Amino acid sequence: QVQLVESGGGSVQAGGSLRLSCAVSAYTLSSAFVAWFRQAPGKEREGVAVIYRGAGNTDYADSVKGRFTISQDNAKRTLYLEMNSLEPDDAAMYYCAAGSRRSLRQADYNIWGQGTQVTVSS
């Protein structure tokens, strides 16, 4: 069973940056795609970015395009989410998820990490 462990969350001021990490225990066909999701209190979980581990293709939600970058280090089996120009609306619990489809839909992912909290103050 693939396990995901996120880290790197914290508190920053608006305009600041954070880098989240997601350690992946093993790569399988069921974890060919790894995505970052976020969920703020009272809101639905939102797909932020996804990467295909093979070719490195990426997709982003419109709300983060140009500010967030998803990347991977296959040797370390680690995914990253570089977040720049953070806004108060970016504050949320961020989750790493693995699945077999290139998607930003929560329903397409069946392996989830425990989450890491990001707080952005104005």
Side-chain angles (χ1 to χ4, degrees), residues 2-16:
V2 176
Q3 293 183 324
L4 308 174
V5 179
E6 303 95 331
S7 61
S11 297
V12 295
Q13 290 189 328

Side-chain angles (χ1 to χ4, degrees), residues 34-49:
V34 183
W36 286 97
F37 286 77
R38 66 185 182 185
Q39 187 168 21
K43 294 187 177 181
E44 293 187 356
R45 193 168 293 189
E46 171 193 21
V48 172

Side-chain angles (χ1 to χ4, degrees), residues 3-11 17-24 34-37 71 76-83 92-97 112-119:
Q3 293 183 324
L4 308 174
V5 179
E6 303 95 331
S7 61
S11 297
S17 300
L18 276 176
R19 188 177 78 159
L20 306 182
S21 299
C22 172
V24 184
V34 183
W36 286 97
F37 286 77
S71 62
K76 296 181 179 179
R77 288 205 299 265
T78 302
L79 282 296
Y80 303 100
L81 185 68
E82 185 75 35
M83 305 185 295
M93 183 71 81
Y94 281 72
Y95 298 90
C96 182
W112 293 84
Q114 83 289 350
T116 186
Q117 183 70 43
V118 172
T119 303

Side-chain angles (χ1 to χ4, degrees), residues 1-4 28-35 37 45 96-101 103 105-113:
Q1 177 72 9
V2 176
Q3 293 183 324
L4 308 174
T28 66
L29 288 176
S30 63
S31 61
F33 297 89
V34 183
F37 286 77
R45 193 168 293 189
C96 182
S100 56
R101 297 183 64 181
S103 165
R105 295 192 326 134
Q106 179 181 355
D108 290 326
Y109 293 84
N110 57 0
I111 304 170
W112 293 84

Side-chain angles (χ1 to χ4, degrees), residues 54-65:
N57 309 73
T58 59
D59 283 326
Y60 294 91
D62 288 342
S63 58
V64 305
K65 280 181 182 176

